Amino acid sequence: MLLRVLIVDDEEWTRISLREQVDWSALGMEIAGEARNGELALEAIARVVPHIVITDIRMPAMDGLKLMEQTRKSYPSVLFIMLSGYSEFEYARQAVMLQAFDYVLKPIDEEQLTETLRRAALKLDADKSFRNEWVELNKKANEAGPLTKERLLTQAVLEAGEAQLLAAGLLDRNGLSRFGDSVSVLVLEADNFIEVAANKYLGDGELTSFVLGNLLAELFSSREDAVFFRKYGERNEFIILLSAEQPSVMSSILAAMDQAERLLPFRLSGGIGRSCSSLRDLPSSYVQAIEALRNAKLAGLGSLVLFDQLDVRRSYEYPVGKEKALLTYIENGYKDQAQQLIADLTREWETSPDIHPSSIRHTALELTLSLRKIVRKHHAELEKVLGEEDLAALIRYRIRSIPQMRDWLLQATASVMSFLEDATKIGAKKAVGDIAKYMLEHYGEEISLNGVADTFHLNSAYLSRIFKQEMGQTFNDFLSHVRMEAAGKLLADESLKIHDIAPIVGYDNVSYFMKKFKEHFGITPSEYRRGTSGK
């Protein structure tokens, strides 16, 4: 069965572009309908019940955020992919907080959209598999083994719906139903998990996770206000459900993290979402905890961060002027200037503590899209140039600090510039070869550097430089050589007078032709002819 997709955008050309630029059948999808605003989209959703909705954020009548909120009431399993421009950053951030599956920047990049849709299909498939196992899970919930607990509690913080019902029952049976009107999610991870696994546990990630999980479980199991579990399917993500108010629990959690770091060589980081009034709201608190965790160091905060510490920060105005300058430096090979600009940009982030870290990531994504456009001019893909399969995931989730972001941007620009240098060399070699062939075939015509540059759609200064690099001589010297060699061959034909040969090889002025001839051969045309005829 094909996955049904609904497209919602108030601009017709955007809807047409989305229809045409994606190979829907290859993704196992079909366009089930279109709508030009949120109100019409709600009607369409009731008719076709799509699996995926791709919607613009800002629209008349009803915007994308309101559409998602209304749809969730009746169709909670529908995935939303939001379209946003850079100026709509705050809306995009709200969409993520409301658990949109993802957002795609305008102008829409075909590869980014296709990859997002592919991930959405995988998510829907996983959700379907989970729903098919509800009956079996419900039976096992009574036994409540460790793995079942882990999986059910993980589902409780990921999705609203049946998972909360089973989780509530599980909590009741274990005497942990004391989450009154205040429940929040804490997410912990080890910053150096891979390093510790490699150095201490022979690269065994599962064993490393087991050791860290056991330690954290021991530290939190004695707390009456907390439920600890490892996120199902993840080795380095540990979740604690907290019933205490956030400010009062911060110091005790920091103490537990400090104790864990003293016992084992892990460096821990944590994020806490806002308190919610019921288990059904856990997914929102979880999303907030994850955002706090992944943005803590990018925001220059400590190892344990509340979501509200980030939410008050301002968005960063996209540096259009810096982007244009950076692209100019990259395309013209000015490596030092490009690196200095990136250093200045990231220093500005570091010295502006009120910038929202998601805004920094948004800026990096925009710069990455610009780099993609540059390499596409040479029929290449940025992922292959940089050796990174999922650039969006790298920028949005895996980069955790401004120094990391700076290092990545420096590496990315250096790799792109190296690629352009190689591509330019290949292109220059072919262009010069084609031009040399043209000159050999048209030397008798009026030929000039500017004229040939125009014919081959090149900048004359650039042509002059690459011609000298590839041929080892200037454009005019090569042209003169070609014409003189042709003149020497023509002089063997005694029926041709010298003043007839000059225009044949491109010289209207016979005196100038004779001067150039003697410079080339060291003798006059007449002396050359006599020497040739005597052989």
Side-chain angles (χ1 to χ4, degrees), residues 98-153:
L98 289 170
Q99 292 182 273
F101 176 72
D102 206 344
Y103 66 89
V104 175
L105 294 172
K106 287 184 174 182
I108 298 167
D109 180 81
E110 179 183 342
E111 285 191 5
Q112 184 192 1
L113 176 60
T114 300
E115 179 57 31
T116 301
L117 287 165
R118 187 176 291 112
R119 288 190 291 106
L122 291 173
K123 173 74 164 55
L124 288 167
D125 187 58
D127 291 348
K128 181 180 178 181
S129 297
F130 187 85
R131 285 193 296 272
N132 290 341
E133 295 171 6
W134 270 120
V135 175
E136 188 64 24
L137 279 171
N138 207 3
K139 292 177 183 177
K140 291 182 178 179
N142 292 321
E143 304 167 9
L147 189 61
T148 305
K149 288 181 183 179
E150 184 178 284
R151 188 167 185 183
L152 287 173
L153 292 172

Side-chain angles (χ1 to χ4, degrees), residues 316-333:
Y316 175 71
E317 184 176 350
Y318 186 69
V320 177
K322 286 187 173 69
E323 179 201 44
K324 290 180 179 178
L326 180 62
L327 298 185
T328 299
Y329 295 152
I330 290 172
E331 292 188 295
N332 288 279

Side-chain angles (χ1 to χ4, degrees), residues 465-515:
R465 185 172 72 252
I466 64 172
F467 198 96
K468 177 74 179 294
Q469 289 173 350
E470 295 298 324
M471 301 297 292
Q473 58 186 143
T474 67
F475 178 92
N476 287 330
D477 285 347
F478 178 79
L479 177 60
S480 178
H481 176 83
V482 169
R483 285 173 165 172
M484 291 302 106
E485 291 298 315
K489 292 177 182 178
L490 290 172
L491 283 168
D493 183 354
E494 296 189 0
S495 66
L496 290 173
K497 298 184 184 302
I498 291 174
H499 65 265
D500 293 327
I501 293 174
I504 294 176
V505 296
Y507 293 98
D508 294 330
N509 187 311
V510 177
S511 297
Y512 184 66
F513 163 69
M514 295 178 71
K515 176 177 178 293

